[in-house]
Amino acid sequence: MMSGLEIFEHPLENEKIYQKWLDFAKANNLGASSIFVGIVREENHCEGLSFDIYEPLLQQWFAEWSKKALEINVFLKMAHAKGNVYNHQSSYMSGCFSSQRKACLSLFEDFIEDFKHKAPIWKYDLKDGQRIYAKERSHKLPFSGILR
């Protein structure tokens, strides 16, 4: 199976991504899918959000989750935007696919929550043409920082 992680240099085109994932499910005779789409909300007087991604660490994090998923016969897919994503555009999409819904649903919420806390993606508010680090909405990554 090809890697289920894709990073885009622009807002996500959800319909195209979902169609590719649906084709994967059909080709593998998978009867259950759960899809989560993150859309940038208009709030805090922001024009949108901007994202930095440390790709090698994200690939490692996703590979660990994919391995865990495969142990219960679930396939994970994920797409994320890098750079600017304006209000009402999509920055994140994840999918969980299996032959049965229970396995799919049992994993999905934990995957999304872990993503929010441990994926190496940094979020910035876009205000007045500037990128402002969203520190108050960020989580410290485990094992990050200065090595001793």
Side-chain angles (χ1 to χ4, degrees):
M1 182 186 111
M2 64 179 185
S3 171
L5 173 64
E6 293 182 278
I7 297 170
F8 294 87
E9 297 282 341
H10 50 75
L12 302 183
E13 296 179 44
N14 299 107
E15 296 85 1
K16 287 182 181 179
I17 295 167
Y18 182 66
Q19 186 60 58
K20 185 167 36 170
W21 293 357
L22 183 61
D23 291 343
F24 168 83
K26 288 177 184 178
N28 290 281
N29 197 33
L30 302 172
S33 69
S34 295
I35 304 297
F36 180 86
V37 176
I39 300 168
V40 176
R41 296 185 309 271
E42 188 174 335
E43 64 181 356
N44 301 323
H45 308 287
C46 291
E47 296 133 24
L49 298 173
S50 189
F51 300 92
D52 287 341
I53 300 174
Y54 184 59
E55 293 183 39
L57 193 55
L58 181 62
Q59 290 168 354
Q60 179 182 353
W61 173 87
F62 187 79
E64 289 171 12
W65 266 100
S66 292
K67 182 180 176 187
K68 182 189 293 189
L70 286 173
E71 290 171 2
I72 59 169
N73 298 314
V74 173
F75 298 91
L76 288 175
K77 302 280 186 182
M78 188 176 114
H80 205 288
K82 185 164 66 170
N84 295 350
V85 180
Y86 294 96
N87 292 340
H88 313 295
Q89 295 179 323
S90 177
S91 61
Y92 172 69
M93 188 171 174
S94 58
C96 203
F97 302 87
S98 183
S99 60
Q100 301 288 322
R101 71 172 153 59
K102 284 186 180 183
C104 206
L105 294 173
S106 72
L107 185 82
F108 208 34
E109 184 175 1
D110 290 340
F111 171 73
I112 294 169
E113 282 303 310
D114 196 62
F115 164 78
K116 291 294 285 181
H117 289 86
K118 295 182 183 171
I121 299 174
W122 291 269
K123 185 187 306 184
Y124 299 81
D125 293 330
L126 294 174
K127 288 186 178 180
D128 301 319
Q130 294 183 356
R131 294 174 85 221
I132 303 164
Y133 181 58
K135 184 177 181 179
E136 69 282 354
R137 296 188 319 275
S138 297
H139 302 278
K140 184 178 183 203
L141 291 178
F143 311 111
S144 66
I146 298 173
L147 300 176
R148 295 179 190 210

